[in-house]
Amino acid sequence: MYAYACCEDFVLLYPVYAVLFARTGLSGAQISSLFVLWSATTILLEVPSGLWADRFSRRRLVVWSPLVVAAGFATWTFAPSYPAFAAGFVLWGAGVAMRSGALEALVYEEMTRLGAADRYTRLVGRAEAVRTTAEMAATGTAALVLAAGGHTAVGVASVVVPVLGAAVGLTFPEHRAGREPSDEGFGALLREGLGEVRRVPAVRRTVLLVAVLSGVTALDEYLPLLAEATGVADATVPLLMLLVVAVTAVGGWLAGRGTRAAPAALAISAALLAGGAFARSPAGFVPIAVAYAAFRWAIAAAEARLQDRLSDRTRATVTSLSGLGAELVGIAAFAGYALASRWAEPWLVFCLAAPVYLGVAAAMRR
């Protein structure tokens, strides 16, 4: 699981692909349209991929996912142009959707079979920390590879690593708890999954909880603007981002410990986020980093709680529904920031967003 997570995010293109787009001649509007296409693809394929995983094979999607992503990066590397970038984002979004739901369901069911379901929270939290660490390492490595071989070398490396991830995926066991994959049609599986969400209040609440908690954290995309608004030099902004990322990784490593305190921790973290933003100084990023570490820790706890409450027949489908919800909440968060930023400074927008975590804390307590 850790090796697979590392291959997912040790992608050298991550920190430089926007530069590649710009140097190819794309305008700001064209680049934004690519991001919209990326999100739209993930949203459209999120639930269908979960249905496919429940009906056929979860491991197969876990293996195919990085191969599809690698194909997308290959189009960027060897045919850089707007159509190729658009095709690459469609493939990338498809790959993300294929993995979402299928990976969680596969890992949880196999851990249950081995009598280790109680360790799932810690596993997914640490896997997320590995992803974060791999992304930081990729950022540093990208600078060296870019200097030595240019964007082509960065692109080739970004194709190779996901292929290695697919090879790791082949080693995952899949027993489906002694049952054969479902013979039901996609419509029947979808109705069963939606029925489980409607009939079981605990499942419905947890799906919403995961969606909101994961989706709202999408505001971290605007942390560089918050850092810039403190008045620091441009070169200092990446250092403040590195602080947040590093401390967030610690939150992932601590996942699975003290989860009963999650509601109180989220309430405290909401105050830390608001206080750090209100400080309007680089020092404020210390409590902000701690808050995001707690959010990562709480997300792992919520995702594990969801898996505990699902039946295996529709596990990937319902997990994908929570992923779909997270994407929609994330889009709402982006829209909310865009609207609020017309009259409010970044620090005030983050202060206004902090109470959302108080609501999530109250929901987790119930």
Side-chain angles (χ1 to χ4, degrees):
M1 178 70 172
Y2 299 146
Y4 188 86
C6 181
C7 291
E8 282 185 293
D9 276 35
F10 189 75
V11 177
L12 305 192
L13 272 171
Y14 282 177
V16 299
Y17 65 74
V19 176
L20 173 63
F21 298 162
R23 290 193 175 180
T24 306
L26 270 62
S27 65
Q30 287 176 312
I31 294 174
S32 295
S33 71
L34 293 175
F35 292 151
V36 171
L37 183 61
W38 185 22
S39 295
T41 302
T42 302
I43 289 172
L44 289 174
L45 297 181
E46 183 79 47
V47 174
S49 67
L51 289 167
W52 199 99
D54 278 333
R55 187 178 182 191
F56 298 111
S57 168
R58 294 163 182 171
R59 182 176 64 180
R60 196 172 299 169
L61 284 185
V62 169
V63 173
W64 287 354
S65 169
L67 294 177
V68 172
V69 172
F73 293 156
T75 64
W76 293 0
T77 303
F78 301 111
S81 62
Y82 182 83
F85 295 147
F89 268 117
V90 169
L91 290 169
W92 192 357
V96 171
M98 290 166 67
R99 173 184 56 79
S100 176
L103 180 62
E104 292 91 336
L106 174 63
V107 172
Y108 186 87
E109 187 62 22
E110 290 303 314
M111 293 186 72
T112 300
R113 187 181 66 85
L114 296 172
D118 58 328
R119 295 165 55 190
Y120 178 79
T121 307
R122 184 174 301 180
L123 177 69
V124 296
R126 290 183 174 181
E128 190 61 35
V130 168
R131 289 189 183 95
T132 303
T133 304
E135 186 172 352
M136 290 191 294
T139 300
T141 305
L144 299 175
V145 175
L146 189 62
H151 284 95
T152 299
V154 169
V156 170
S158 300
V159 172
V160 171
V161 172
V163 172
L164 295 176
V168 174
L170 287 171
T171 67
F172 287 9
E174 183 175 28
H175 295 87
R176 302 297 298 273
R179 296 187 298 274
E180 292 297 322
S182 174
D183 291 329
E184 293 183 84
F186 291 121
L189 279 173
L190 180 58
R191 287 192 296 272
E192 186 174 342
L194 291 173
E196 185 174 3
V197 174
R198 287 196 304 267
R199 290 191 310 271
V200 186
V203 172
R204 182 170 62 252
R205 286 195 298 267
T206 311
V207 166
L208 291 174
L209 176 67
V210 172
V212 173
L213 188 55
S214 300
V216 173
T217 53
L219 286 175
D220 62 3
E221 298 291 342
Y222 299 102
L223 284 175
L225 299 180
L226 180 63
E228 184 182 42
T230 64
V232 299
D234 289 349
T236 305
V237 172
L239 298 179
L240 294 178
M241 295 302 97
L242 181 61
L243 170 66
V244 175
V245 171
V247 178
T248 300
V250 174
W253 282 109
L254 294 176
R257 300 178 182 178
T259 53
R260 291 185 179 180
L266 274 178
I268 294 171
S269 299
L272 290 174
L273 178 63
F278 183 77
R280 286 171 282 180
S281 72
F285 271 76
V286 174
I288 289 173
V290 174
Y292 270 91
F295 298 156
R296 179 62 261 169
W297 171 78
I299 288 172
E303 290 174 343
R305 181 181 296 186
L306 176 61
Q307 296 300 324
D308 288 340
R309 293 172 174 173
L310 297 179
S311 64
D312 186 55
R313 286 171 57 83
T314 57
R315 185 180 302 280
T317 300
V318 178
T319 303
S320 292
L321 286 171
S322 71
L324 173 61
E327 291 286 342
L328 295 175
V329 171
I331 291 175
F334 293 150
Y337 187 97
L339 179 63
S341 64
R342 301 185 64 177
W343 55 268
E345 295 294 325
W347 70 269
L348 181 55
V349 178
F350 275 88
C351 287
L352 294 173
V356 175
Y357 292 102
L358 292 176
V360 174
M364 290 191 78
R365 188 179 299 277
R366 288 197 297 269

